Amino acid sequence: MTSDNNDPEDWRNVIGNKTYKNELAKRFKDNDDPLKIAIVVDMWLTGFDVPSLATMYVYKPMSGYNLM
């Protein structure tokens, strides 16, 4: 999740910072890590190839996706 300056202070622990997001990207590349599913609404610029990655595209408008 991305943040902006208007977010409440207590959201920062949930959203994380750049280091946290880089760690998630590193974990997502590791086939032995329990992190197996990432739900991405717009795009996640990973900057790397993930051999085990499979992609499912949803071609109809989604509503309530921010509740996942």
Side-chain angles (χ1 to χ4, degrees):
M1 181 174 165
T2 56
S3 63
D4 67 24
N5 293 335
N6 296 325
D7 290 339
E9 186 68 31
D10 56 339
W11 285 16
R12 293 177 192 251
N13 291 335
V14 175
I15 295 170
N17 56 22
K18 186 174 182 178
T19 304
Y20 174 71
K21 292 174 185 173
N22 288 339
E23 181 62 28
L24 284 178
K26 182 180 174 185
R27 288 182 57 199
F28 196 62
K29 284 195 317 186
D30 183 0
N31 285 333
D32 296 325
D33 193 281
L35 177 63
K36 301 293 182 199
I37 296 175
I39 298 171
V40 180
V41 175
D42 293 322
M43 70 173 111
W44 183 16
L45 299 176
T46 56
F48 55 80
D49 293 327
V50 181
S52 63
L53 181 65
T55 306
M56 178 178 73
Y57 294 98
V58 178
Y59 288 109
K60 74 182 234 184
M62 295 175 63
S63 62
Y65 58 82
N66 57 347
L67 300 176
M68 285 189 225

